[in-house]
Amino acid sequence: MTELQNDLQNLCDAIVKRTLTTDTEYPVEEFEKAVCKIFETTIREIRAENRKEEVVITRQLCMWYMRGNTLFSLAKIGRRYKKDHATVLHAIKTINEIIETKNKRFYPRIEQFINQMTYEKRKTINTREIID
């Protein structure tokens, strides 16, 4: 194997390793904190057996975001919140319906969260460009 081939192989290995070990560009705990702050709940509440509507929507939004922005399976997302994969699917459907119908009660806060996360991702990407 030539030096160039070896370098390319090492680069490919590093990319695969990063892809498989990095489930999200933004740590799960960070977006959980962000959504909890917007909905005035706590991480402890969203991981507990709590059925208050505000807590349920917060938990569902976390599940929805994780599914779209991580490599986590439905089962893995569910385990994080002591739920099964079917509950995660229901959460995703619920949040999508809120977004589509622009539900007056929850949509503004969901939109705020999405905008905040979009800003954070852009900031992270711009920081990486400066470092590179």
Side-chain angles (χ1 to χ4, degrees):
M1 187 180 274
T2 68
E3 187 176 345
L4 178 59
Q5 288 173 323
N6 192 33
D7 289 345
L8 285 173
Q9 184 62 49
N10 288 338
L11 179 61
C12 289
D13 291 344
I15 291 169
V16 168
K17 182 179 178 185
R18 181 166 187 258
T19 301
L20 294 176
T21 58
T22 306
D23 288 311
T24 180
E25 289 184 357
Y26 202 73
V28 173
E29 293 78 16
E30 293 301 315
F31 69 76
E32 284 178 333
K33 287 177 191 174
V35 74
C36 286
K37 184 175 181 180
I38 291 168
F39 280 86
E40 299 177 356
T41 59
T42 66
I43 291 175
R44 176 178 267 173
E45 287 177 310
I46 65 171
R47 291 189 187 160
E49 293 291 324
N50 191 324
R51 293 185 177 207
K52 291 181 188 172
E53 190 174 27
E54 296 288 322
V55 175
V56 171
I57 292 293
T58 305
R59 183 185 308 121
Q60 289 175 333
L61 183 54
C62 287
M63 291 177 182
W64 174 85
Y65 188 81
M66 286 175 71
R67 185 59 177 166
N69 294 280
T70 72
L71 300 175
F72 291 167
S73 67
L74 295 172
K76 186 172 183 176
I77 294 168
R79 281 192 300 272
R80 185 170 188 85
Y81 301 102
K82 299 177 187 147
K83 306 294 180 191
D84 63 21
H85 75 283
T87 303
V88 177
L89 283 172
H90 174 73
I92 293 165
K93 181 180 174 188
T94 300
I95 297 301
N96 284 335
E97 287 174 2
I98 290 171
I99 292 169
E100 288 171 14
T101 62
K102 297 191 189 258
N103 174 291
K104 290 180 183 178
R105 184 156 178 221
F106 296 113
Y107 180 75
R109 290 182 279 178
I110 290 173
E111 184 179 41
Q112 178 184 352
F113 170 72
I114 292 168
N115 289 339
Q116 180 178 340
M117 298 314 296
T118 302
Y119 171 78
E120 291 296 331
K121 277 187 176 181
R122 262 193 244 122
K123 193 167 76 173
T124 301
I125 291 167
N126 289 340
T127 303
R128 285 188 189 149
E129 289 172 359
I130 292 168
I131 292 171
D132 292 339

Short mmCIF file of all heavy atoms in Angstrom, two decimals, residues 90-120:
data_model
loop_
_atom_site.label_atom_id
_atom_site.label_comp_id
_atom_site.label_asym_id
_atom_site.label_seq_id
_atom_site.Cartn_x
_atom_site.Cartn_y
_atom_site.Cartn_z
N HIS A 90 -45.45 7.87 17.92
CA HIS A 90 -46.60 8.72 18.23
C HIS A 90 -46.12 10.16 18.52
O HIS A 90 -46.76 11.13 18.08
CB HIS A 90 -47.37 8.16 19.43
CG HIS A 90 -48.47 9.06 19.88
ND1 HIS A 90 -49.64 9.21 19.18
CD2 HIS A 90 -48.57 9.87 20.97
CE1 HIS A 90 -50.42 10.08 19.82
NE2 HIS A 90 -49.78 10.49 20.90
N ALA A 91 -45.02 10.29 19.24
CA ALA A 91 -44.48 11.62 19.55
C ALA A 91 -44.11 12.36 18.27
O ALA A 91 -44.43 13.55 18.12
CB ALA A 91 -43.25 11.48 20.46
N ILE A 92 -43.46 11.68 17.36
CA ILE A 92 -43.06 12.29 16.09
C ILE A 92 -44.29 12.75 15.32
O ILE A 92 -44.33 13.88 14.81
CB ILE A 92 -42.20 11.29 15.27
CG1 ILE A 92 -40.87 11.04 15.99
CG2 ILE A 92 -41.99 11.80 13.84
CD1 ILE A 92 -40.12 9.83 15.49
N LYS A 93 -45.30 11.90 15.26
CA LYS A 93 -46.54 12.25 14.56
C LYS A 93 -47.21 13.46 15.22
O LYS A 93 -47.67 14.38 14.54
CB LYS A 93 -47.48 11.04 14.59
CG LYS A 93 -48.79 11.28 13.88
CD LYS A 93 -49.68 10.04 13.95
CE LYS A 93 -51.04 10.34 13.35
NZ LYS A 93 -51.99 9.26 13.55
N THR A 94 -47.24 13.48 16.54
CA THR A 94 -47.88 14.58 17.27
C THR A 94 -47.19 15.90 16.99
O THR A 94 -47.84 16.91 16.70
CB THR A 94 -47.88 14.28 18.79
OG1 THR A 94 -48.61 13.08 19.02
CG2 THR A 94 -48.48 15.42 19.58
N ILE A 95 -45.86 15.92 17.07
CA ILE A 95 -45.12 17.17 16.83
C ILE A 95 -45.29 17.60 15.37
O ILE A 95 -45.49 18.80 15.09
CB ILE A 95 -43.63 17.02 17.20
CG1 ILE A 95 -43.48 16.74 18.71
CG2 ILE A 95 -42.84 18.27 16.80
CD1 ILE A 95 -44.05 17.81 19.64
N ASN A 96 -45.25 16.67 14.45
CA ASN A 96 -45.47 17.02 13.03
C ASN A 96 -46.85 17.65 12.83
O ASN A 96 -46.99 18.62 12.08
CB ASN A 96 -45.29 15.81 12.13
CG ASN A 96 -43.83 15.46 11.92
OD1 ASN A 96 -42.95 16.31 12.05
ND2 ASN A 96 -43.56 14.21 11.62
N GLU A 97 -47.86 17.11 13.50
CA GLU A 97 -49.22 17.68 13.40
C GLU A 97 -49.28 19.08 13.98
O GLU A 97 -49.93 19.96 13.42
CB GLU A 97 -50.23 16.76 14.08
CG GLU A 97 -50.53 15.49 13.31
CD GLU A 97 -51.43 14.52 14.06
OE1 GLU A 97 -51.89 14.82 15.19
OE2 GLU A 97 -51.67 13.43 13.52
N ILE A 98 -48.62 19.29 15.11
CA ILE A 98 -48.58 20.62 15.72
C ILE A 98 -47.94 21.61 14.76
O ILE A 98 -48.42 22.74 14.57
CB ILE A 98 -47.85 20.60 17.07
CG1 ILE A 98 -48.69 19.85 18.11
CG2 ILE A 98 -47.52 22.02 17.55
CD1 ILE A 98 -47.96 19.59 19.43
N ILE A 99 -46.85 21.20 14.12
CA ILE A 99 -46.15 22.08 13.18
C ILE A 99 -47.02 22.35 11.95
O ILE A 99 -47.14 23.49 11.50
CB ILE A 99 -44.79 21.47 12.79
CG1 ILE A 99 -43.86 21.49 14.02
CG2 ILE A 99 -44.16 22.21 11.62
CD1 ILE A 99 -42.58 20.68 13.85
N GLU A 100 -47.64 21.31 11.41
CA GLU A 100 -48.47 21.47 10.20
C GLU A 100 -49.68 22.35 10.44
O GLU A 100 -50.05 23.15 9.59
CB GLU A 100 -48.91 20.09 9.69
CG GLU A 100 -47.79 19.29 9.06
CD GLU A 100 -48.18 17.85 8.75
OE1 GLU A 100 -49.39 17.53 8.77
OE2 GLU A 100 -47.27 17.05 8.50
N THR A 101 -50.32 22.20 11.61
CA THR A 101 -51.53 22.96 11.89
C THR A 101 -51.23 24.30 12.57
O THR A 101 -52.14 25.09 12.78
CB THR A 101 -52.49 22.15 12.79
OG1 THR A 101 -51.85 21.88 14.05
CG2 THR A 101 -52.92 20.87 12.12
N LYS A 102 -49.97 24.50 12.92
CA LYS A 102 -49.54 25.71 13.65
C LYS A 102 -50.40 25.93 14.90
O LYS A 102 -50.89 27.03 15.16
CB LYS A 102 -49.55 26.93 12.74
CG LYS A 102 -48.57 26.80 11.59
CD LYS A 102 -48.39 28.10 10.86
CE LYS A 102 -47.60 27.88 9.61
NZ LYS A 102 -46.29 28.21 9.55
N ASN A 103 -50.53 24.86 15.67
CA ASN A 103 -51.29 24.86 16.92
C ASN A 103 -50.94 26.10 17.74
O ASN A 103 -49.77 26.33 18.06
CB ASN A 103 -50.95 23.57 17.68
CG ASN A 103 -51.55 23.49 19.04
OD1 ASN A 103 -51.16 24.23 19.93
ND2 ASN A 103 -52.48 22.58 19.21
N LYS A 104 -51.95 26.90 18.06
CA LYS A 104 -51.71 28.19 18.74
C LYS A 104 -51.06 28.03 20.10
O LYS A 104 -50.29 28.89 20.52
CB LYS A 104 -53.03 28.95 18.89
CG LYS A 104 -53.57 29.45 17.58
CD LYS A 104 -54.87 30.18 17.76
CE LYS A 104 -55.41 30.61 16.41
NZ LYS A 104 -56.68 31.29 16.51
N ARG A 105 -51.36 26.95 20.78
CA ARG A 105 -50.84 26.78 22.15
C ARG A 105 -49.37 26.38 22.17
O ARG A 105 -48.61 26.85 23.00
CB ARG A 105 -51.67 25.74 22.88
CG ARG A 105 -51.26 25.58 24.30
CD ARG A 105 -52.35 25.03 25.15
NE ARG A 105 -51.86 24.87 26.50
CZ ARG A 105 -52.15 23.84 27.24
NH1 ARG A 105 -52.95 22.90 26.81
NH2 ARG A 105 -51.66 23.75 28.46
N PHE A 106 -48.96 25.49 21.25
CA PHE A 106 -47.60 24.94 21.32
C PHE A 106 -46.68 25.36 20.18
O PHE A 106 -45.47 25.38 20.34
CB PHE A 106 -47.65 23.41 21.39
CG PHE A 106 -48.31 22.90 22.62
CD1 PHE A 106 -49.52 22.22 22.54
CD2 PHE A 106 -47.76 23.11 23.88
CE1 PHE A 106 -50.14 21.75 23.69
CE2 PHE A 106 -48.37 22.65 25.02
CZ PHE A 106 -49.57 21.97 24.93
N TYR A 107 -47.23 25.69 19.03
CA TYR A 107 -46.39 25.98 17.87
C TYR A 107 -45.38 27.10 18.11
O TYR A 107 -44.21 26.96 17.73
CB TYR A 107 -47.24 26.27 16.62
CG TYR A 107 -46.38 26.56 15.42
CD1 TYR A 107 -45.72 25.53 14.76
CD2 TYR A 107 -46.21 27.87 14.96
CE1 TYR A 107 -44.91 25.79 13.67
CE2 TYR A 107 -45.41 28.13 13.86
CZ TYR A 107 -44.76 27.10 13.22
OH TYR A 107 -43.96 27.36 12.15
N PRO A 108 -45.76 28.22 18.71
CA PRO A 108 -44.77 29.29 18.89
C PRO A 108 -43.53 28.84 19.67
O PRO A 108 -42.41 29.21 19.32
CB PRO A 108 -45.54 30.37 19.67
CG PRO A 108 -46.97 30.13 19.31
CD PRO A 108 -47.10 28.64 19.17
N ARG A 109 -43.72 28.01 20.69
CA ARG A 109 -42.57 27.54 21.47
C ARG A 109 -41.76 26.50 20.69
O ARG A 109 -40.53 26.47 20.78
CB ARG A 109 -43.02 27.00 22.82
CG ARG A 109 -43.50 28.14 23.73
CD ARG A 109 -43.89 27.64 25.08
NE ARG A 109 -45.26 27.11 24.97
CZ ARG A 109 -45.91 26.55 25.97
NH1 ARG A 109 -45.34 26.43 27.15
NH2 ARG A 109 -47.13 26.10 25.80
N ILE A 110 -42.45 25.67 19.91
CA ILE A 110 -41.74 24.70 19.08
C ILE A 110 -40.92 25.44 18.03
O ILE A 110 -39.75 25.11 17.79
CB ILE A 110 -42.72 23.68 18.46
CG1 ILE A 110 -43.28 22.78 19.56
CG2 ILE A 110 -42.05 22.87 17.36
CD1 ILE A 110 -44.39 21.85 19.11
N GLU A 111 -41.52 26.44 17.42
CA GLU A 111 -40.81 27.25 16.43
C GLU A 111 -39.60 27.93 17.07
O GLU A 111 -38.52 27.98 16.47
CB GLU A 111 -41.75 28.28 15.82
CG GLU A 111 -41.12 29.09 14.72
CD GLU A 111 -42.09 30.08 14.11
OE1 GLU A 111 -42.86 30.72 14.86
OE2 GLU A 111 -42.06 30.22 12.89
N GLN A 112 -39.76 28.43 18.28
CA GLN A 112 -38.66 29.07 18.99
C GLN A 112 -37.52 28.07 19.19
O GLN A 112 -36.34 28.38 18.97
CB GLN A 112 -39.14 29.60 20.35
CG GLN A 112 -38.06 30.23 21.19
CD GLN A 112 -38.57 30.64 22.58
OE1 GLN A 112 -39.76 30.58 22.87
NE2 GLN A 112 -37.66 31.02 23.44
N PHE A 113 -37.86 26.85 19.60
CA PHE A 113 -36.86 25.80 19.80
C PHE A 113 -36.14 25.48 18.49
O PHE A 113 -34.91 25.41 18.44
CB PHE A 113 -37.51 24.55 20.39
CG PHE A 113 -36.62 23.35 20.40
CD1 PHE A 113 -35.55 23.28 21.29
CD2 PHE A 113 -36.82 22.30 19.53
CE1 PHE A 113 -34.70 22.18 21.30
CE2 PHE A 113 -35.99 21.19 19.54
CZ PHE A 113 -34.93 21.14 20.42
N ILE A 114 -36.90 25.29 17.41
CA ILE A 114 -36.31 24.95 16.12
C ILE A 114 -35.36 26.07 15.66
O ILE A 114 -34.24 25.80 15.21
CB ILE A 114 -37.40 24.68 15.06
CG1 ILE A 114 -38.15 23.39 15.41
CG2 ILE A 114 -36.80 24.61 13.65
CD1 ILE A 114 -39.43 23.18 14.62
N ASN A 115 -35.79 27.31 15.81
CA ASN A 115 -34.94 28.44 15.43
C ASN A 115 -33.67 28.48 16.27
O ASN A 115 -32.59 28.75 15.76
CB ASN A 115 -35.70 29.76 15.55
CG ASN A 115 -36.77 29.91 14.49
OD1 ASN A 115 -36.73 29.25 13.45
ND2 ASN A 115 -37.75 30.74 14.76
N GLN A 116 -33.80 28.22 17.56
CA GLN A 116 -32.64 28.22 18.46
C GLN A 116 -31.66 27.12 18.05
O GLN A 116 -30.46 27.36 17.98
CB GLN A 116 -33.09 28.02 19.90
CG GLN A 116 -31.94 28.00 20.89
CD GLN A 116 -32.45 27.86 22.32
OE1 GLN A 116 -33.59 28.12 22.63
NE2 GLN A 116 -31.56 27.43 23.20
N MET A 117 -32.17 25.94 17.75
CA MET A 117 -31.29 24.83 17.38
C MET A 117 -30.63 25.09 16.02
O MET A 117 -29.47 24.77 15.82
CB MET A 117 -32.06 23.51 17.36
CG MET A 117 -32.63 23.13 18.72
SD MET A 117 -31.49 23.29 20.11
CE MET A 117 -30.26 22.10 19.68
N THR A 118 -31.37 25.70 15.10
CA THR A 118 -30.80 26.04 13.80
C THR A 118 -29.67 27.03 13.96
O THR A 118 -28.60 26.89 13.37
CB THR A 118 -31.89 26.61 12.87
OG1 THR A 118 -32.93 25.64 12.74
CG2 THR A 118 -31.34 26.97 11.50
N TYR A 119 -29.87 28.01 14.84
CA TYR A 119 -28.83 29.00 15.12
C TYR A 119 -27.60 28.33 15.73
O TYR A 119 -26.48 28.60 15.33
CB TYR A 119 -29.37 30.09 16.06
CG TYR A 119 -28.29 31.02 16.57
CD1 TYR A 119 -27.79 32.03 15.75
CD2 TYR A 119 -27.77 30.86 17.85
CE1 TYR A 119 -26.78 32.87 16.20
CE2 TYR A 119 -26.76 31.70 18.30
CZ TYR A 119 -26.27 32.70 17.48
OH TYR A 119 -25.27 33.52 17.93
N GLU A 120 -27.82 27.44 16.70
CA GLU A 120 -26.71 26.75 17.36
C GLU A 120 -25.92 25.90 16.37
O GLU A 120 -24.70 25.86 16.42
CB GLU A 120 -27.22 25.89 18.51
CG GLU A 120 -27.75 26.68 19.69
CD GLU A 120 -26.70 27.53 20.39
OE1 GLU A 120 -25.51 27.15 20.37
OE2 GLU A 120 -27.06 28.57 20.94
#
